[in-house]
């Protein structure tokens, strides 16, 4: 009689890269709540005190310094890859996988993007697709999530104009977006890590795709004042993003996304979140209620 070997339990830390970002900070918090030892990889340790206060071990992760990347993997047996929106994200992913293979990481989850494919006409989706292939060809068990636009953009991208001008200026036309809350993305990433989901790719969206007119209607109701949607041209959007200090590469990539929104190419709704988590994702109504103070 052959007795199957028991799986070796994870006894090291999980390295979460991009740990101070929109999704990363919530992934760290979710994992700590589940009793997981977390190593939070950040570019600037001085800006990550809040993660240390939560109970994470904070380490510097500077892709321009290979020895720094190598040091971040000490004692790590799981990896959550969250790379910045950067033209070098494929290179960054490759660096992480090389180190993961070196130390014997046994499970990887990666934050990707809706529609990721090396054949995509969208720059961000193409780069994420290439990065996914590096992960899938690593020989390490993996799972991937592909979220659509984050509800948090209503704070980070449009918060000032909502607060000061009672308006959202965007080149979305009448296109619809099935917005997803970054907190939900973090919850499913943590679930995938703890339950070791393998050979799975989940597309994450909200339950409904809505136009910007619906978004401002929900905001108006929550804030008890009229919020207006002001459609703008691609060039108007370019001017605004460049004025905010975004690089030309980043601006071009975002304008591609907005073109896809206007064409209706990002309106497909997925039920993967409910299938995995057993509950509905956060609705826009709930999000506007939770973040009301940002637009006051």
């Amino acid at each position: 009689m052959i007795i199957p070997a028991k799986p070796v339990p994870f006894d090291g830390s999980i390295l979460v890269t991009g740990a101070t970002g929109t999704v990363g900070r919530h992934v760290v918090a979710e994992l700590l709540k589940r009793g997981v030892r977390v190593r939070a990889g950040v570019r600037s340790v001085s800006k990550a005190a809040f993660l240390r206060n939560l109970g994470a071990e904070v380490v510097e992760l500077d892709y321009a310094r290979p020895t720094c990347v190598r040091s971040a993997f000490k004692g790590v047996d799981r990896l959550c890859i969250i790379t910045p929106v950067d033209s070098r994200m494929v290179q960054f992913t490759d660096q992480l996988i090389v180190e993961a293979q070196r130390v014997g990481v046994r499970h990887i989850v990666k934050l990707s993007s809706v529609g990721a494919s090396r054949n995509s006409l969208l720059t961000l989706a193409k780069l994420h697709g290439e990065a996914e292939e590096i992960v899938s060809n690593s020989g390490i068990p993996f799972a991937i999530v592909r979220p659509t636009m984050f509800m948090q953009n209503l704070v980070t991208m449009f918060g000032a104009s909502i607060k000061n001008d009672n308006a959202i200026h965007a080149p979305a036309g009448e296109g619809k977006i099935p917005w997803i809350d970054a907190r939900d993305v973090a919850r499913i990433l943590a679930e995938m890590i703890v339950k070791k989901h393998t050979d799975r790719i989940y597309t994450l969206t909200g339950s409904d795709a809505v136009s910007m007119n619906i978004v401002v209607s929900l905001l108006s109701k929550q804030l008890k004042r009229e919020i207006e949607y002001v459609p703008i041209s691609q060039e108007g959007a370019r001017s605004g993003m460049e004025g905010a200090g975004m690089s030309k590469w980043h601006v071009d990539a975002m304008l591609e996304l907005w073109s896809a929104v206007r064409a209706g190419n990002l309106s497909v709704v997925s039920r993967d979140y409910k299938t995995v988590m057993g509950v509905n994702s956060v609705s826009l109504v709930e999000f506007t209620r939770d973040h009301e103070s940002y637009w006051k």
Side-chain angles (χ1 to χ4, degrees):
M1 177 181 179
I2 299 176
I3 300 176
K6 293 182 179 180
V8 179
F10 292 112
D11 55 9
S13 298
I14 174 165
L15 174 61
V16 178
T17 71
T20 58
T22 302
V23 175
R25 62 183 56 210
H26 294 298
V27 173
V28 170
E30 286 292 327
L31 289 171
L32 289 170
K33 284 193 294 187
R34 293 167 178 251
V36 178
R37 281 189 287 170
V38 178
R39 176 170 287 191
V42 301
R43 183 172 182 179
S44 175
V45 173
S46 64
K47 296 180 180 179
F50 71 98
L51 296 176
R52 188 177 291 109
N53 292 338
L54 289 176
E57 177 190 5
V58 175
V59 295
E60 185 180 13
L61 183 60
D62 183 348
Y63 293 104
R65 294 160 52 207
T67 56
C68 179
V69 178
R70 174 173 287 238
S71 296
F73 276 81
K74 183 179 180 181
V76 167
D77 60 14
R78 286 168 287 178
L79 173 63
C80 176
I81 298 177
I82 304 175
T83 50
V85 178
D86 190 291
S87 61
R88 300 164 293 176
M89 69 169 69
V90 176
Q91 173 190 325
F92 296 159
T93 302
D94 188 61
Q95 287 180 261
L96 294 171
I97 293 303
V98 167
E99 292 304 317
Q101 292 169 326
R102 180 183 65 82
V103 302
V105 162
R106 293 188 286 131
H107 186 226
I108 297 171
V109 297
K110 171 180 161 45
L111 177 65
S112 187
S113 175
V114 65
S117 167
R118 69 161 46 252
N119 298 317
S120 177
L121 298 179
L122 302 179
T123 297
L124 292 178
K126 176 179 174 60
L127 292 178
H128 274 296
E130 292 174 4
E132 284 187 9
E133 289 184 10
I134 293 173
V135 173
S136 64
N137 292 330
S138 68
I140 302 172
F142 72 93
I144 291 168
V145 294
R146 296 173 174 171
T148 187
M149 286 193 181
F150 299 141
M151 293 179 185
Q152 279 71 11
N153 288 340
L154 297 173
V155 174
T156 58
M157 190 179 296
F158 303 116
S161 65
I162 293 171
K163 181 177 180 178
N164 300 322
D165 304 329
N166 293 321
I168 289 179
H169 303 83
E174 296 302 314
K176 296 181 179 181
I177 302 169
W179 304 84
I180 187 76
D181 191 332
R183 296 173 297 179
D184 280 334
V185 178
R187 290 182 187 109
I188 200 169
L189 281 167
E191 179 77 3
M192 292 160 61
I193 292 162
V194 172
K195 300 292 179 64
K196 196 184 177 183
H197 289 217
T198 303
D199 297 328
R200 294 288 185 271
I201 298 177
Y202 302 118
T203 296
L204 302 184
T205 74
S207 300
D208 300 290
V210 297
S211 68
M212 280 295 191
N213 284 316
I214 297 298
V215 172
V216 296
S217 175
L218 293 173
L219 284 166
S220 298
K221 184 175 182 180
Q222 183 62 42
L223 299 175
K224 296 181 174 57
R225 67 179 197 269
E226 192 66 26
I227 307 299
E228 181 184 8
Y229 167 47
V230 181
I232 60 175
S233 66
Q234 288 280 87
E235 286 311 306
R238 177 183 294 280
S239 177
M241 287 187 281
E242 289 177 346
M246 291 172 61
S247 69
K248 182 181 183 305
W249 177 87
H250 195 174
V251 171
D252 288 344
M254 291 303 300
L255 290 177
E256 289 175 358
L257 285 178
W258 285 119
S259 293
V261 169
R262 290 196 305 277
N265 295 336
L266 297 184
S267 62
V268 176
V269 171
S270 166
R271 303 302 178 192
D272 284 355
Y273 184 86
K274 186 170 185 179
T275 298
V276 175
M277 302 300 291
V279 295
N280 289 324
S281 57
V282 170
S283 68
L284 267 172
V285 171
E286 293 170 304
F287 181 84
T288 57
R289 181 193 64 209
D290 293 347
H291 293 77
E292 179 179 355
S293 62
Y294 288 95
W295 304 303
K296 289 292 190 178

